[in-house]
Amino acid sequence: MNYLKLSNCELENELKILLEKFEEIKKQNFRLDISRGKPSQEQLKLSLKMLDLDITKDGLDIFNYGILCGIPDARLLMSVILGCGSEDVIIGGNSSLCLMSDVISFFFTHGVNNEKWDINDTKFLAPCPGYDRHFALCEHFGIKMIPIKMNHDGPDIDEIEKLVSKDESIKGMWCVPKFSNPGGEIYSDCIIERIAKLRPSSKSFRIFWDNAYSVHELYEKIEIKNIFKEIKKNNNENLVIAFASTSKITFSGGGISAIGCKGDNFKSLCKHYSFKTIGFDKINQTRHVKFLTNSAKDIEESLRKHMLKHSEILRPKFNLILEKFKLNFCKNPILSWSKPKGGYFISIKTFGSAKKIVQLCREAGLVLTQAGSMFPYNLDPDDSMIRIAPSYPTLEEISKATKILILCIKISAIEKLKNHAS
Amino acid sequence: MNYLKLSNCELENELKILLEKFEEIKKQNFRLDISRGKPSQEQLKLSLKMLDLDITKDGLDIFNYGILCGIPDARLLMSVILGCGSEDVIIGGNSSLCLMSDVISFFFTHGVNNEKWDINDTKFLAPCPGYDRHFALCEHFGIKMIPIKMNHDGPDIDEIEKLVSKDESIKGMWCVPKFSNPGGEIYSDCIIERIAKLRPSSKSFRIFWDNAYSVHELYEKIEIKNIFKEIKKNNNENLVIAFASTSKITFSGGGISAIGCKGDNFKSLCKHYSFKTIGFDKINQTRHVKFLTNSAKDIEESLRKHMLKHSEILRPKFNLILEKFKLNFCKNPILSWSKPKGGYFISIKTFGSAKKIVQLCREAGLVLTQAGSMFPYNLDPDDSMIRIAPSYPTLEEISKATKILILCIKISAIEKLKNHAS
């Protein structure tokens, strides 16, 4: 049934049926929160063996103070994930967001390239739809965000080139280059090459390269261009600061995080951390190294094997939603949706009724990410985008949740179409 | 032998003997670093059982995202250490220094009490001798430090009252109230009461109450006045932000840290952390709770039992040094020294030759904390103070190290006395 071709009367009839179903569902007291990209219990179990490893046999030094940038093997592990050299890695605590916040804060208080960011006049380019916590961090620091259109192959690079070349107050840009949050976009070679060539008018402009999903394929292996090789080629090594963590590899509450960066960035961030701490948790670093790698040579292969187990758990969940969307909307163009090849989210583009859908779902017990949150200042210009996080619930829950979601999408679309028609 | 009563000739003879001994020692290739307060291997072993605890039996939620301020039981544990309510506690990562840095940075970028600290004009009161990392953190942020004399019962409170009442640019003060680093001073009731009554002219003045050694007795149990009760009594609850960690309770490289603070401080710091992270490592929090407490009621008692084991390891090390000092210097007043009842350090006051002694010791293979480092900007006005950290080495190593140190103290004193005499 294509709602766009229905008469007002037909729409009314359909709406009546849907609303009856909706009332029934509301009575069922369903409760599920799929607002955040939380790994499921099953995924967490994949790493529980890490707790049983003997981490004392190489001595007790890891239990004591010291080793600011992290133990060498952990730096090597994270360098594989980040795509840089192990000598470019600083290991952090359990949160890469925390490291991003540290870096931003540090650039305000201490500056970069001998220039402090101006707390009253700093702007970031924000490809959107994007990650709500990136945007919230900017807002928290009073950083003005300039929305950049996200295309299927990455952010609008023409616009980016134009903006950074003329506006010195633009000091940063968010990038989630692989399986972008929430749309799942993969930056193309061409986009990454052009990003690496950027010559911003501000010398303290930095790209926050959040490689959160670098090994998080759902199907076959996908390689993106290595940003560190590209910036080296272009003699532009200070441009990029990369971040990653094992939050979605081992434990989302107790992984390890890392910064990868070169030259001046590395030197100044190391110096900063040398005042801030004596060193991050090497016990957890050691556990991760022992659990995720057999030897320095096979890190990629053992990571791949481990991540395959994640994908086997996640894939059916994504597939279920995608199939139901196809079934319901392939001939009813009131919804389009992303078909992610990895990462943690499906994003949907509704018929201009994101807020309404989120509200209806909530009434039926299904909590979605707040509408608008994938845009700076929560401003979705078309009120159309919603993020779905399929990872945490069981297949059964997802099945139920998808039914509710589809119902609410349809109801809100008819209400919209009726208004248009009347 | 009292050097002060020797003739120049006698001094020369003594020096000759000492220098011969010194040359002999140099040949022995001794190597020991007692510059930092690192727990010993034996101490680290006290907590290794923590690694074997089953932390999965209450479910896997601790392995997932969430719970910003820490799990309730960990907040309760740290509230006992901090002396505040568990509702006042924010649990951090493995480093309390990191939390202090966060708070300072936050007050510059976001302010406190609706007022941002001025990056170009912020001062701290720095009781000294004090903790070198506190001072380094201030220097790193460009905070100007005003030295405050440390007396046996705490910092010079008259001076503090005078300064904070008249200078609005004074925004903070460092306090290590129990077993102060490095002198081991214990703040008296009277000093704590007067600190709690401070009415600084700046409303954004905060005391950084680093309760690093609150349960770290070497001999009998010592209670200091509870700062949180005092500020409450004085309707002054925004004055204090307290810090602590389990670095010297469990693992110095992998403990948990915490902030304790009330009202506005708590609210604004929670808000800040809500942008910075989704939550700190709850796996490690759980391990600590399970290892250090049996039930919520007996936290103090089980902490005490655990810390007794530390004191049994540390006490002989401190005693050995203190006895040798007594033997060598009770009738030769070229040295005075602290007799700490807890904490991690012995501080010595030399005959105005701290730099020389540190240098001589280094020549003999013994690395001490840099002379001057217990003072802001490394400026020890009398070049007299040296910090000794007895925790890490074995008793045998300490015995050797103390011999070297005493020899170097004597040599440097004679050289000084000779110069005076000549």
Side-chain angles (χ1 to χ4, degrees):
Chain A
M1 203 187 303
N2 181 345
Y3 287 0
L4 273 53
K5 293 186 178 163
L6 296 188
S7 70
N8 233 354
C9 185
E10 287 165 324
L11 285 171
E12 287 283 4
N13 282 339
E14 172 75 359
L15 182 59
K16 208 179 141 195
I17 298 163
L18 295 171
L19 286 175
E20 271 164 24
K21 279 190 193 165
F22 187 64
E23 288 308 314
E24 261 169 52
I25 277 174
K26 279 207 283 189
K27 281 178 201 149
Q28 291 167 15
N29 259 323
F30 180 73
R31 289 287 171 273
L32 181 65
D33 185 335
I34 57 165
S35 64
R36 308 302 315 175
K38 284 170 74 171
S40 63
Q41 303 263 324
E42 217 183 335
Q43 286 176 273
L44 297 173
K45 281 180 191 161
L46 294 177
S47 300
L48 284 181
K49 275 191 184 154
M50 197 198 298
L51 307 179
D52 305 329
L53 295 168
D54 180 7
I55 52 169
T56 61
K57 59 183 169 189
D58 298 326
L60 299 187
D61 284 351
I62 58 159
F63 295 87
N64 220 321
Y65 288 117
I67 316 191
L68 181 67
C69 292
I71 60 170
D73 286 348
R75 296 175 76 192
L76 189 61
L77 166 64
M78 294 310 288
S79 76
V80 171
I81 292 170
L82 287 160
C84 57
S86 65
E87 70 281 9
D88 309 322
V89 173
I90 302 170
I91 307 283
N94 70 326
S95 159
S96 58
L97 189 68
C98 204
L99 297 178
M100 297 173 215
S101 175
D102 280 350
V103 173
I104 290 176
S105 184
F106 174 55
F107 288 173
F108 279 119
T109 55
H110 288 79
V112 49
N113 197 48
N114 294 318
E115 181 196 316
K116 282 181 194 174
W117 286 0
D118 181 352
I119 198 96
N120 298 310
D121 186 24
T122 286
K123 300 194 192 89
F124 259 53
L125 302 183
C128 55
Y131 179 33
D132 55 353
R133 288 191 186 271
H134 287 165
F135 301 156
L137 199 55
C138 273
E139 253 191 281
H140 179 54
F141 277 96
I143 296 170
K144 205 171 149 190
M145 286 169 277
I146 302 171
I148 298 291
K149 189 170 180 290
M150 191 70 178
N151 297 316
H152 73 281
D153 60 346
D156 181 346
I157 189 71
D158 292 333
E159 184 72 8
I160 292 167
E161 285 170 348
K162 205 177 74 189
L163 287 168
V164 300
S165 69
K166 71 174 188 191
D167 186 346
E168 272 203 56
S169 68
I170 298 174
K171 300 297 187 189
M173 172 164 75
W174 294 110
C175 291
V176 182
K178 190 170 167 183
F179 312 135
S180 191
N181 177 350
E185 295 87 355
I186 301 161
Y187 287 22
S188 68
D189 290 357
C190 167
I191 298 286
I192 294 178
E193 282 164 14
R194 285 175 67 183
I195 287 175
K197 280 184 187 137
L198 287 175
R199 299 284 171 191
S201 64
S202 167
K203 296 297 166 238
S204 62
F205 173 93
R206 293 294 179 270
I207 290 169
F208 285 62
W209 192 260
D210 185 0
N211 215 341
Y213 308 106
S214 70
V215 291
H216 301 63
E217 275 84 359
L218 282 169
Y219 309 95
E220 77 283 1
K221 174 88 185 138
I222 288 167
E223 295 266 13
I224 63 165
K225 220 162 180 110
N226 184 306
I227 188 73
F228 285 101
K229 287 184 186 158
E230 290 304 309
I231 53 176
K232 186 170 183 188
K233 244 187 248 171
N234 289 286
N235 203 15
N236 210 4
E237 291 200 310
N238 277 334
L239 186 70
V240 169
I241 302 176
F243 301 89
S245 80
T246 66
S247 292
K248 287 174 177 107
I249 297 174
T250 58
F251 300 128
S252 36
I256 60 174
S257 64
I259 297 175
C261 58
K262 312 285 294 184
D264 296 343
N265 294 329
F266 183 83
K267 265 181 260 166
S268 62
L269 288 174
C270 265
K271 187 180 162 201
H272 179 53
Y273 278 112
S274 78
F275 289 101
K276 194 174 160 69
T277 182
I278 311 175
F280 288 96
D281 185 343
K282 298 182 296 296
I283 303 175
N284 206 24
Q285 291 172 27
T286 304
R287 270 198 204 95
H288 274 75
V289 166
K290 288 200 183 285
F291 179 67
L292 290 175
T293 70
N294 291 314
S295 77
K297 280 184 189 163
D298 77 340
I299 294 176
E300 249 176 282
E301 181 57 18
S302 49
L303 261 178
R304 201 190 57 82
K305 274 188 194 159
H306 178 72
M307 294 311 290
L308 261 182
K309 295 178 198 163
H310 279 285
S311 72
E312 277 159 22
I313 298 169
L314 287 168
R315 205 163 42 234
K317 299 181 181 183
F318 277 77
N319 285 346
L320 192 155
I321 299 173
L322 294 172
E323 278 157 24
K324 288 214 179 177
F325 281 167
K326 199 172 166 190
L327 202 67
N328 280 272
F329 300 112
C330 72
K331 290 179 183 163
N332 189 5
I334 57 168
L335 189 85
S336 59
W337 59 94
S338 65
K339 286 106 189 161
K341 299 200 166 76
Y344 263 64
F345 303 103
I346 296 169
S347 70
I348 59 175
K349 191 170 182 178
T350 71
F351 207 67
S353 50
K355 277 194 192 120
K356 179 73 187 177
I357 293 166
V358 170
Q359 179 209 317
L360 285 173
C361 283
R362 191 176 279 265
E363 285 171 28
L366 176 65
V367 178
L368 297 169
T369 316
Q370 199 197 335
S373 65
M374 292 99 84
F375 293 81
Y377 313 105
N378 282 305
L379 295 175
D380 177 354
D382 305 317
D383 185 29
S384 69
M385 303 297 298
I386 294 175
R387 182 180 85 165
I388 302 164
S391 53
Y392 188 75
T394 62
L395 264 178
E396 205 178 333
E397 287 171 317
I398 287 192
S399 174
K400 190 70 190 283
T402 313
K403 260 185 214 160
I404 295 173
L405 177 61
I406 288 171
L407 191 61
C408 297
I409 290 168
K410 287 181 177 174
I411 291 171
S412 71
I414 295 184
E415 284 176 346
K416 203 101 191 185
L417 288 166
K418 265 179 52 198
N419 292 346
H420 270 270
S422 62
Chain B
M1 202 188 300
N2 182 345
Y3 287 2
L4 273 53
K5 293 188 176 162
L6 296 188
S7 70
N8 234 354
C9 186
E10 287 165 323
L11 284 172
E12 287 282 5
N13 281 339
E14 172 75 359
L15 182 60
K16 206 177 144 196
I17 299 162
L18 294 173
L19 285 175
E20 271 165 24
K21 279 190 193 166
F22 186 64
E23 289 308 314
E24 261 170 53
I25 278 176
K26 280 208 283 187
K27 281 180 203 149
Q28 292 166 15
N29 259 324
F30 181 71
R31 288 289 170 272
L32 180 67
D33 185 335
I34 57 166
S35 64
R36 309 301 315 174
K38 285 171 73 171
S40 62
Q41 303 263 324
E42 217 183 336
Q43 286 176 274
L44 297 172
K45 280 180 191 162
L46 294 176
S47 300
L48 284 181
K49 276 192 183 152
M50 197 197 299
L51 306 179
D52 305 330
L53 295 168
D54 180 7
I55 53 168
T56 61
K57 58 183 170 192
D58 298 326
L60 299 187
D61 283 352
I62 59 159
F63 295 88
N64 220 321
Y65 287 118
I67 316 190
L68 181 67
C69 293
I71 60 170
D73 285 348
R75 296 174 77 191
L76 188 61
L77 166 64
M78 294 310 289
S79 76
V80 171
I81 292 169
L82 287 159
C84 57
S86 65
E87 70 280 9
D88 310 322
V89 173
I90 302 170
I91 307 282
N94 70 325
S95 158
S96 59
L97 190 67
C98 202
L99 297 177
M100 297 173 214
S101 174
D102 280 350
V103 172
I104 289 175
S105 183
F106 175 55
F107 288 173
F108 279 119
T109 56
H110 289 78
V112 50
N113 198 49
N114 294 318
E115 182 197 316
K116 283 181 194 173
W117 285 1
D118 181 351
I119 198 96
N120 298 309
D121 186 23
T122 287
K123 300 195 191 88
F124 259 53
L125 302 183
C128 54
Y131 180 32
D132 55 353
R133 289 191 186 270
H134 287 165
F135 300 156
L137 199 54
C138 274
E139 252 191 283
H140 179 54
F141 278 96
I143 296 170
K144 206 172 149 187
M145 287 170 278
I146 303 172
I148 298 291
K149 187 170 184 289
M150 190 71 178
N151 298 316
H152 73 281
D153 60 346
D156 181 345
I157 189 72
D158 292 332
E159 184 69 7
I160 292 167
E161 286 170 348
K162 205 178 72 188
L163 287 168
V164 300
S165 69
K166 70 173 188 190
D167 187 346
E168 272 203 55
S169 69
I170 298 174
K171 299 298 185 186
M173 171 165 77
W174 294 111
C175 290
V176 181
K178 190 170 167 181
F179 311 136
S180 191
N181 178 351
E185 295 87 355
I186 301 161
Y187 287 22
S188 69
D189 290 357
C190 166
I191 297 285
I192 293 177
E193 282 164 13
R194 285 175 67 184
I195 286 175
K197 281 185 185 136
L198 286 175
R199 300 283 171 192
S201 65
S202 167
K203 296 299 167 235
S204 62
F205 173 93
R206 293 293 179 270
I207 289 169
F208 285 63
W209 193 259
D210 185 359
N211 214 340
Y213 307 106
S214 70
V215 291
H216 301 64
E217 274 84 359
L218 282 168
Y219 308 95
E220 76 283 2
K221 174 89 186 138
I222 288 167
E223 295 265 12
I224 63 165
K225 219 162 181 111
N226 183 306
I227 188 74
F228 286 100
K229 287 184 186 160
E230 290 304 309
I231 52 177
K232 187 172 183 183
K233 244 188 247 171
N234 290 285
N235 202 14
N236 209 4
E237 291 200 310
N238 277 333
L239 186 72
V240 170
I241 302 177
F243 302 88
S245 80
T246 65
S247 292
K248 288 175 177 107
I249 297 174
T250 58
F251 300 128
S252 35
I256 59 174
S257 64
I259 297 175
C261 58
K262 312 285 295 183
D264 296 343
N265 294 329
F266 183 82
K267 264 182 260 167
S268 61
L269 288 174
C270 266
K271 187 180 160 202
H272 179 55
Y273 277 112
S274 78
F275 289 101
K276 194 174 159 69
T277 182
I278 312 177
F280 288 95
D281 186 342
K282 298 182 296 298
I283 303 175
N284 206 24
Q285 290 172 29
T286 304
R287 270 198 203 95
H288 274 76
V289 166
K290 288 201 183 284
F291 179 68
L292 290 175
T293 69
N294 290 315
S295 77
K297 279 181 189 165
D298 77 339
I299 295 176
E300 249 177 281
E301 180 57 18
S302 49
L303 262 178
R304 200 189 58 80
K305 273 188 195 159
H306 179 71
M307 294 311 291
L308 261 182
K309 296 178 198 162
H310 279 285
S311 72
E312 278 159 20
I313 297 169
L314 287 168
R315 204 162 44 235
K317 299 181 182 183
F318 277 77
N319 284 346
L320 192 154
I321 298 173
L322 295 171
E323 278 156 23
K324 289 214 178 175
F325 282 165
K326 198 171 164 190
L327 203 67
N328 280 273
F329 300 112
C330 72
K331 289 180 183 165
N332 189 4
I334 57 168
L335 189 85
S336 61
W337 60 94
S338 66
K339 286 108 189 159
K341 299 200 165 75
Y344 263 63
F345 303 102
I346 295 170
S347 70
I348 60 174
K349 190 170 184 179
T350 71
F351 208 66
S353 50
K355 278 195 193 121
K356 178 74 187 177
I357 292 167
V358 170
Q359 179 212 314
L360 286 173
C361 283
R362 189 175 281 265
E363 284 171 28
L366 177 66
V367 179
L368 298 169
T369 317
Q370 199 197 334
S373 65
M374 293 99 87
F375 292 81
Y377 313 106
N378 282 306
L379 295 174
D380 177 354
D382 305 317
D383 185 29
S384 69
M385 303 296 300
I386 294 175
R387 182 180 85 166
I388 302 165
S391 53
Y392 188 75
T394 61
L395 263 179
E396 204 179 334
E397 287 172 317
I398 287 190
S399 173
K400 189 72 189 282
T402 313
K403 259 185 215 163
I404 295 174
L405 176 60
I406 288 171
L407 191 60
C408 297
I409 291 167
K410 288 181 176 172
I411 291 171
S412 70
I414 295 183
E415 283 176 348
K416 202 103 190 183
L417 288 166
K418 263 179 52 197
N419 292 344
H420 271 270
S422 62

